């Protein structure tokens, strides 16, 4: 099970630059759909990669859905040579994206995110328009009801 | 005539089968409260998975101990 608060606390404590995206961001905006992992978009600056690598080591991050015989260590060169990773960790499933389809890299994602207080922590959360853009770009069938719901949420928020 | 284009997003969601009252309730909560609900749901799913595994394991054990078990024939 993904321990959202514990992962966020760890990221904040380690001064990692990130934005909450995906299903957790949707729930943060009021979505009633559930999710089982935490997705973030992270800055690919060298300093951030180093902090992120240390954090991933500390929670024993392993690639999810990869054969166990594939060697993997979340060191800086590995993170630098890849972009988006899906991990299983001691704190649950945790995905990190260097680029969000339909939006761009960390800075573009951060530009359309809102600072919010989550479990008492100051975090950036991708805004509703950003979530809609990423879901529409992904074009997956499973996202269709979520897109319809997010559009309704946007309208309800505008009416408030 | 009402077309798909001029329907409101809420109307489209209702017709799709989305329960708008759930969204309205969520909008009354803080961000943290919404994520606490999600975390609670994750915990429930985890417990149900564990219970399923326990039950499945017990079924295998009782089947193995049964006189009708293929292992005793």
């Amino acid at each position: 099970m993904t321990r959202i608060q514990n992962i966020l606390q760890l990221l904040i404590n380690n001064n990692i630059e990130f934005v909450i995206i995906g299903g957790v961001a949707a729930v943060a905006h009021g979505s009633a759909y559930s999710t089982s992992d935490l997705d973030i978009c992270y800055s690919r600056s060298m300093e951030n990669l180093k902090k992120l690598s240390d954090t991933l080591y500390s929670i024993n991050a392993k690639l999810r859905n990869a054969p166990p015989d594939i060697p993997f260590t979340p060191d800086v060169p590995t993170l630098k040579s890849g972009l988006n990773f899906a991990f299983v960790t001691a704190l649950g499933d945790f995905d990190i994206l260097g680029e969000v389809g339909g939006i761009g890299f960390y800075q573009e994602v951060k530009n359309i995110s809102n600072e919010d207080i989550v479990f008492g922590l100051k975090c950036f959360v991708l805004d509703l328009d950003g979530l809609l853009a990423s879901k529409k770009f992904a074009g997956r069938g499973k996202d269709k009801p979520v897109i319809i719901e997010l559009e309704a949420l946007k309208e309800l928020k505008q009416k408030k | 005539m009402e077309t798909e284009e001029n329907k409101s997003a809420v109307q489209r969601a209702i017709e799709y089968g989305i329960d708008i009252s759930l969204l309205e309730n969520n909008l009354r909560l803080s961000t943290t409260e919404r994520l606490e609900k999600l975390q609670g749901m994750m915990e429930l799913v985890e417990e149900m998975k564990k219970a399923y595994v326990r039950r499945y394991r017990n079924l295998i054990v009782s089947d193995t101990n049964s006189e009708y078990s293929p292992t005793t024939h």
Side-chain angles (χ1 to χ4, degrees):
Chain A
M1 182 188 61
T2 301
R3 301 186 185 284
I4 302 167
Q5 183 176 358
N6 295 8
I7 297 177
L8 293 177
Q9 183 76 64
L10 197 59
L11 296 172
I12 298 283
N13 288 352
N14 293 346
N15 294 315
I16 291 167
E17 292 181 300
F18 71 97
V19 175
I20 301 172
I21 60 170
V24 171
V27 171
H29 285 292
S31 170
Y33 283 102
S34 192
T35 183
S36 59
D37 61 1
L38 172 65
D39 302 332
I40 63 158
C41 176
Y42 65 99
S43 161
R44 288 185 52 82
S45 71
M46 276 307 289
E47 194 188 346
N48 204 52
L49 288 179
K50 175 79 177 72
K51 292 177 197 166
L52 191 54
S53 169
D54 291 344
T55 304
L56 291 169
Y57 270 112
S58 76
I59 54 175
N60 195 25
K62 304 283 179 209
L63 285 178
R64 196 164 72 237
N65 301 326
D69 54 334
I70 289 186
F72 177 81
T73 49
D75 53 21
V76 173
T78 302
L79 295 180
K80 200 164 168 51
S81 65
L83 188 62
N84 298 342
F85 300 87
F87 295 117
V88 58
T89 77
L91 296 176
D93 293 341
F94 176 44
D95 298 352
I96 64 168
L97 281 73
E99 183 182 19
V100 179
I103 303 173
F105 294 92
Y106 172 74
Q107 199 55 54
E108 285 88 21
V109 175
K110 192 181 173 191
N111 288 345
I112 52 167
S113 66
N114 308 309
E115 198 174 39
D116 205 341
I117 303 294
V118 183
F119 297 116
L121 307 162
K122 268 189 187 177
C123 296
F124 284 96
V125 181
L126 182 61
D127 73 12
L128 266 176
D129 286 327
L131 273 169
L132 278 163
S134 65
K135 297 282 181 193
K136 286 177 179 173
F137 181 85
R140 300 175 299 193
K142 71 168 190 169
D143 288 330
K144 190 184 175 191
V146 181
I147 289 169
I148 293 170
E149 189 210 42
L150 291 177
E151 283 172 339
L153 265 173
K154 189 177 161 185
E155 195 174 274
L156 288 171
K157 280 189 171 186
Q158 283 165 349
K159 280 183 188 168
K160 276 181 91 179
Chain B
M1 196 180 85
E2 194 173 40
T3 62
E4 199 59 36
E5 288 74 37
N6 63 24
K7 282 179 191 168
S8 73
V10 169
Q11 190 58 38
R12 282 196 298 273
I14 290 168
E15 288 175 11
Y16 194 81
I18 288 166
D19 186 344
I20 295 297
S21 69
L22 290 176
L23 307 186
E24 288 169 334
N25 282 341
N26 284 345
L27 288 178
R28 281 190 274 272
L29 303 174
S30 69
T31 305
T32 298
E33 286 170 330
R34 292 172 198 151
L35 292 182
E36 282 171 346
K37 263 178 71 176
L38 172 64
Q39 191 71 71
M41 189 63 72
M42 287 177 173
E43 285 167 15
L44 177 67
V45 170
E46 187 76 5
E47 282 308 310
M48 288 172 73
K49 278 184 189 169
K50 283 180 189 167
Y52 176 80
V53 169
R54 276 196 300 271
R55 182 171 160 74
Y56 184 68
R57 202 177 285 142
N58 289 343
L59 282 175
I60 291 173
V61 170
S62 65
D63 187 48
T64 308
N65 294 337
S66 160
E67 60 180 303
Y68 300 109
S69 167
T71 57
T72 60
H73 288 205

